[in-house]
Every structure is written in C-alpha cells, then in structure tokens.
C-alpha cells in the first residue's frame, strides 16, 4: 500500500515510516513530482490539514495525509494559531516570530499555551483527522538552541526545560506532532 505524506522533509518522512508496518510505503511530494505550493488558506489548523490532503487527492489521485501545526496562546485568544509560521510577517522567520510573541506577552501573567497538530488522512475515499496537543507555558526569554520555531520559549507542563533544551526523542514522546502521528499509526495498523 502506498500513501503520500504531504512533505519534503525527509526526517519527518523517515520517522513516520519507521513507525509503520512494512506493507505501508510512504512517498514524499518529490516522489510524486509535486513541486507546487499546496494551498493552506483556511482559518483553522484543522482546515489547513484537510485542505492540503484534499488538494493532493484531487490533483494527484493518491491516498495521502497532511499535517498542520500551530501554537495557541491563552492570553492572546489562541493566537498565533494558524498564523504561527508567519506571525511576524511573510518572511516566516522563527527569530522574528518568537520576539513578537515575547513582546505581546510582556505584561501578561497567564503564560499558558499549547501546540496543536492535526493530521488529515484521505484513505479509500474517506477523510479522517488525528489531533495531538501538548500543553505548557511560554517563558519570558529564550532558552536553548535545539529544535526550531517557538521551541526556545515553550516549556511543556511538568518540564523545567524548554523544547529547545530537551532531546528530539523526548520531544517526540511528549510533543504534539508525536501524539498525532501515534494516533495515525495506530489507525493505519488496524
Ligand atoms: P507546520 O504546520 O509544521 O509547518 O508548522 C507551522 C509553524 O508552527 C512553524 O513554522 C513553526 O513556527 C511552528 N511550529 C510547528 N511545530 C513546531 C514545534 O514543534 N516547535 C516549535 N514551533 C513549531
């Protein structure tokens, strides 16, 4: 069985492939000669994941799955959410985004936030979604140089280190994307 993962990130692809039974073979966007920007114009994380999976199915005909992730901050009414990648502008720069987030939260005492990943799977004509959430807080300054995006300012509940200070293995275990991927893998195994 072949399944397209709407990504060209080979690390992500390998990681999910390693969790799947051998008869499921994952293909990247490159593998199906898709080099266009897949539209992500929906107002929600769920909406974007579904839009990407449906676009791929409709334009390329493959069963597939797509993921979308955002950081939802309580004191900012859920922002940056679906705008996480371009919070500080279209340059999509993690440094600028993090700086803007810390500025917006400067005088806020409630630092609660969550990462949310939604995976939308198009399989045998049906759409399924899998959600992974990781709750935590936004720190007042950056700590650590691992990870990417908002990792240096996010501490998962129960941890005294940011996502930029823990190993990738640990992050995958407790993190939003890892949880959503586990749900997808369990579904595909059955
Ligand atoms: P994407 O949907 O995986 O492309 O994620 C959208 C944006 O959310 C990224 O550009 C990052 O700014 C942020 N993001 C997603 N996942 C993570 C994460 O695991 N750590 C930190 N930031 C993340």
């Amino acid at each position: 069985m072949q399944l397209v993962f709407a990504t060209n990130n080979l690390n992500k692809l390998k990681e999910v492939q390693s969790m799947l039974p051998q008869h499921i073979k994952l293909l990247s966007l490159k593998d199906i000669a898709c080099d266009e920007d897949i539209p992500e114009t929906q107002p929600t994380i769920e909406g974007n994941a579904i839009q990407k999976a449906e676009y791929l199915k409709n334009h390329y005909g493959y069963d597939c799955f797509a993921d979308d992730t955002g950081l939802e901050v309580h004191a900012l009414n859920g922002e940056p959410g679906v705008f996480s990648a371009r919070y500080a502008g279209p340059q999509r720069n993690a440094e600028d985004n993090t700086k803007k987030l810390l500025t917006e939260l400067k005088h806020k005492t409630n630092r609660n936030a969550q990462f949310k990943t939604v995976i939308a799977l198009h399989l045998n004509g049906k759409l399924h979604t899998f959600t992974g959430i990781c709750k935590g807080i936004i720190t007042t300054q950056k700590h650590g140089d691992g990870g990417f995006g908002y990792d240096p300012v996010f501490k998962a509940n129960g941890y005294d280190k940011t996502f930029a200070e823990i190993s990738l293995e640990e992050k995958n275990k407790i993190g939003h994307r890892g949880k959503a991927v586990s749900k997808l893998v369990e579904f595909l195994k059955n």
Side-chain angles (χ1 to χ4, degrees):
M1 170 187 172
Q2 288 192 327
L3 201 53
V4 175
F5 182 5
T7 185
N8 276 322
N9 180 331
L10 289 185
N11 290 321
K12 268 195 195 177
L13 195 86
K14 267 190 207 157
E15 193 181 300
V16 182
Q17 179 73 69
S18 72
M19 294 165 76
L20 287 170
Q22 281 194 344
H23 70 274
I24 302 176
K25 167 98 176 79
L26 291 188
L27 304 175
S28 68
L29 290 175
K30 195 164 167 237
D31 290 331
I32 61 163
C34 169
D35 59 4
E36 60 182 312
D37 277 338
I38 300 174
E40 305 181 49
T41 54
Q42 298 304 302
T44 62
I45 295 167
E46 291 84 350
N48 271 343
I50 290 171
Q51 183 180 24
K52 286 188 272 185
E54 288 196 323
Y55 185 90
L56 268 186
K57 178 69 187 173
N58 293 338
H59 289 78
Y60 294 82
Y62 288 90
D63 278 344
C64 59
F65 62 92
D67 67 339
D68 200 53
T69 296
L71 175 68
E72 299 177 329
V73 180
H74 186 84
L76 303 177
N77 299 317
E79 280 193 4
V82 75
F83 301 110
S84 293
R86 54 205 142 110
Y87 189 40
Q91 72 276 20
R92 294 175 166 254
N93 180 285
E95 190 76 29
D96 297 348
N97 290 339
T98 309
K99 203 166 154 197
K100 177 170 178 187
L101 180 64
L102 292 183
T103 304
E104 295 286 334
L105 287 177
K106 203 163 186 176
H107 302 294
K108 309 277 188 200
T109 47
N110 184 333
R111 314 283 301 187
N112 292 338
Q114 63 180 28
F115 274 116
K116 184 196 227 180
T117 294
V118 177
I119 294 176
L121 168 72
H122 221 298
L123 185 66
N124 301 327
K126 279 199 190 133
L127 193 70
H128 309 266
T129 59
F130 308 92
T131 302
I133 283 176
C134 182
K135 289 181 186 288
I137 55 142
I138 304 299
T139 54
T140 52
Q141 46 180 310
K142 291 166 75 173
H143 298 278
D145 47 19
F148 70 99
Y150 299 91
D151 280 349
V153 297
F154 182 85
K155 275 185 190 171
N157 286 345
Y159 280 70
D160 61 3
K161 288 181 176 167
T162 67
F163 266 0
E165 296 176 296
I166 63 173
S167 68
L168 181 60
E169 201 181 25
E170 198 159 16
K171 183 182 166 190
N172 284 340
K173 224 187 291 168
I174 60 163
H176 42 294
R177 207 172 352 265
K179 287 178 184 168
V181 168
S182 297
K183 288 183 186 173
L184 167 77
V185 168
E186 281 316 301
F187 178 85
L188 289 173
K189 276 186 186 165
N190 296 322

